[in-house]
Amino acid sequence: MIAWTKCLGMGLVGRSAEVGELAALLDRAAAGFGGVITLVGATGSGKSALAAEAAVLARDRGFEVAGGSAVRGRPGRLVWAGLLDDLGADPEVTRALLDESGPLDTTMAVRLLTSGNRRLIVVDDVDAGGQEAVDMLALVAARLVTCSTAVVATAATSLGMGRDLKLCGLSERDLAAIVGEMAAGQRHAV
């Protein structure tokens, strides 16, 4: 039997194992042992939809959720500054993170990102922010073991931190379930 999970008005098909992994991450974070899951796959593999589902699961469990997307060609610290802003950090901390005039001091930013009760941070396309964004994720990940913060990141390739969930195409059975649910005009497009 295929498990359906509602996400952004669409169904997630064939991803019950991944949704289970995300739920387990949230359970560990709720118990004070946060962590990172990186959803790894090619464009169109469903990484962003699965990350959005993690946000839904987290909100349903009483987690504070903050999310952002790194943008290729823009400084990687921008996504982290946006997350800090969303979490209500002092503007001075955000400005310090964005200040490119000296060495990057991440101590306060990492502390604020990983403090609080039951928090999920979602960073879509973290690798699009370059090494700077990935390095910041590594700093955050190092503090998660003893806090109630979980991070779900999406990337095209493995980042070498936390748990990777590699997404690939759906099986013929899962695709058949999707096509069977579609209207005739939509089936033709698939």
Side-chain angles (χ1 to χ4, degrees):
M1 179 170 183
I2 297 172
W4 285 85
T5 304
K6 295 298 176 191
C7 176
L8 302 175
M10 301 179 66
L12 289 177
V13 176
R15 301 291 188 213
S16 59
E18 291 86 351
V19 170
E21 291 278 345
L22 294 168
L25 172 70
L26 295 171
D27 289 344
R28 288 189 304 274
F33 305 102
V36 176
I37 287 183
T38 305
L39 304 172
V40 179
T43 300
S45 62
K47 300 181 305 282
S48 297
L50 204 47
E53 180 62 20
V56 170
L57 289 171
R59 281 188 192 98
D60 288 350
R61 294 167 182 232
F63 279 68
E64 175 183 25
V65 177
S69 296
V71 178
R72 195 165 309 286
R74 303 290 311 258
R77 53 181 84 182
L78 284 176
V79 67
W80 296 101
L83 290 165
L84 285 165
D85 191 51
D86 289 349
L87 293 169
D90 185 315
E92 287 299 315
V93 175
T94 304
R95 273 194 288 280
L97 191 62
L98 293 174
D99 182 11
E100 295 184 28
S101 64
L104 181 60
D105 181 8
T106 59
T107 306
M108 183 57 74
V110 170
R111 186 175 297 127
L112 290 171
L113 287 165
T114 58
S115 65
N117 291 326
R118 294 185 175 206
R119 177 178 289 164
L120 174 67
I121 297 172
V122 178
V123 185
D124 202 18
D125 297 323
V126 69
D127 51 344
Q131 195 60 47
E132 189 174 67
V134 173
D135 288 348
M136 186 69 175
L137 175 60
L139 293 171
V140 169
R143 286 189 50 103
L144 295 178
V145 181
T146 59
C147 67
S148 297
T149 299
V151 176
V152 173
T154 69
T157 60
S158 176
L159 302 175
M161 67 190 83
R163 175 147 168 64
D164 287 343
L165 295 182
K166 294 183 176 152
L167 305 182
C168 53
L170 297 175
S171 70
E172 287 184 33
R173 180 177 155 203
D174 292 337
L175 287 173
I178 294 170
V179 172
E181 296 288 324
M182 292 178 168
Q186 291 172 321
R187 280 188 221 137
H188 180 71
V190 174

